[in-house]
Amino acid sequence: MCNQKVSKIALVIINILFILLGLGLLIPGILVVLNEDVINDDVLPALKSVSFGVTNLGDMAKGLSITLIVLGSFVLVLSLIGAIGACCKIRCLLIIYIIIVLILAIGKFVIVILWIIFNSDIESKLKTEMKTALLKFTTDDLTTHELSSGWNYLNMNLECCGIDAVTDTGADNDYTGSAWYVAVGGEIPISCCPSATSSSYTASTCSFTRGSTPTGQHSKGCYDAVKDFATKYSVAFICIGVFIVLTEIAAVIFACSLCKKSKTGTIV
């Protein structure tokens, strides 16, 4: 009886933690959706031009935030099932709870292992696809060509230029092979200049003459800028994820302890 009381109290406490952890996933997911530097209608055409397997970077950015919101909501519901099962001593709820928690824990371990194995290949592939998509850049303005406008907005919003950082190398950067540069363009677009804004796009104070060495441009490449954007949220997600796995293991142990004393639908 004492062991059951200890297990019940521990399981209730664990599920209170689950509620907090669910909010820890839900709130950052909402913040990603609301962060208009990357997830907005101006930038999305550029991100959607970056193919990644059967999807694209734009859909992945939107899908990831939605996934976090759904996952956070699911954790909240799961914690309620566990808490009700423990408080009301309902065996069937605890069994459902144990099965779901075990599946989630195993799934997280598999995802982490796959990420460790394929992380470098994924990053290399992503950068290559971003460079390929940038070659479709055709017009240096914010209205004529949706894809080009998307890249320009991405440059301004994330304060970046090119996929790799554009350095003082004259006519040798990620834009020089683009349709815009080959036709009538300059060295790099106006959006690479820190003074460029959507309201006064042509009022650039940087020197971007074709064939010359560009000066005054953003010093960071857009690949690193996008990666930094993701990393800003990933630290919180990783910490929360690790804590959830450890908590899930403890939850399964206490839930099994609470269940094993009875074979009936309700724990005595």
Side-chain angles (χ1 to χ4, degrees), residues 160-215:
C160 60
C161 184
I163 307 307
D164 287 318
V166 175
T167 56
D168 293 340
T169 56
D172 183 17
N173 58 69
D174 292 331
Y175 288 98
T176 54
S178 68
W180 166 71
Y181 182 87
V182 171
V184 295
E187 179 65 34
I188 53 179
I190 294 171
S191 57
C192 287
C193 184
S195 65
T197 64
S198 58
S199 59
S200 58
Y201 187 71
T202 57
S204 170
T205 60
C206 303
S207 176
F208 298 154
T209 305
R210 182 170 184 168
S212 66
T213 300
T215 57

Side-chain angles (χ1 to χ4, degrees), residues 22-53:
L23 292 173
L25 291 172
L26 185 63
I27 293 172
I30 294 173
L31 291 177
V32 172
V33 172
L34 296 178
N35 192 319
E36 295 188 352
D37 287 344
V38 174
I39 313 299
N40 65 52
D41 292 337
D42 294 323
V43 174
L44 279 177
L47 297 181
K48 287 186 176 183
S49 70
V50 182
S51 300
F52 200 76

Side-chain angles (χ1 to χ4, degrees), residues 15-161:
N15 282 287
I16 291 174
L17 291 176
F18 268 148
I19 292 174
L20 297 177
L21 292 171
L23 292 173
L25 291 172
L26 185 63
I27 293 172
I30 294 173
L31 291 177
V32 172
V33 172
L34 296 178
N35 192 319
E36 295 188 352
D37 287 344
V38 174
I39 313 299
N40 65 52
D41 292 337
D42 294 323
V43 174
L44 279 177
L47 297 181
K48 287 186 176 183
S49 70
V50 182
S51 300
F52 200 76
V54 296
T55 184
N56 61 73
L57 191 57
D59 288 341
M60 287 177 62
K62 293 189 72 174
L64 177 60
S65 57
I66 294 172
T67 299
L68 290 171
I69 293 172
V70 172
L71 182 59
S73 302
F74 181 76
V75 171
L76 290 176
V77 174
L78 180 63
S79 64
L80 290 176
I81 292 175
I84 294 172
C87 290
C88 300
K89 301 179 180 180
I90 303 174
R91 182 182 175 84
C92 63
L93 284 183
L94 289 174
I95 292 174
I96 293 172
Y97 177 81
I98 291 169
I99 293 172
I100 295 176
V101 170
L102 280 174
I103 293 173
L104 287 176
I106 294 171
K108 289 187 182 74
F109 278 118
V110 172
I111 291 172
V112 169
I113 292 172
L114 290 175
W115 177 255
I116 292 173
I117 294 174
F118 296 109
N119 182 42
S120 60
D121 292 337
I122 291 172
E123 290 193 4
S124 176
K125 174 70 173 176
L126 180 58
K127 179 180 283 190
T128 299
E129 291 296 334
M130 289 180 72
K131 288 188 175 185
T132 300
L134 190 62
L135 296 179
K136 300 174 184 176
F137 188 90
T138 61
T139 309
D140 186 16
D141 61 41
L142 302 179
T143 57
T144 306
H145 187 249
E146 185 180 54
L147 173 59
S148 302
S149 298
W151 282 109
N152 285 328
Y153 275 110
L154 187 69
N155 287 345
M156 292 187 293
N157 290 355
L158 295 187
E159 299 181 350
C160 60
C161 184

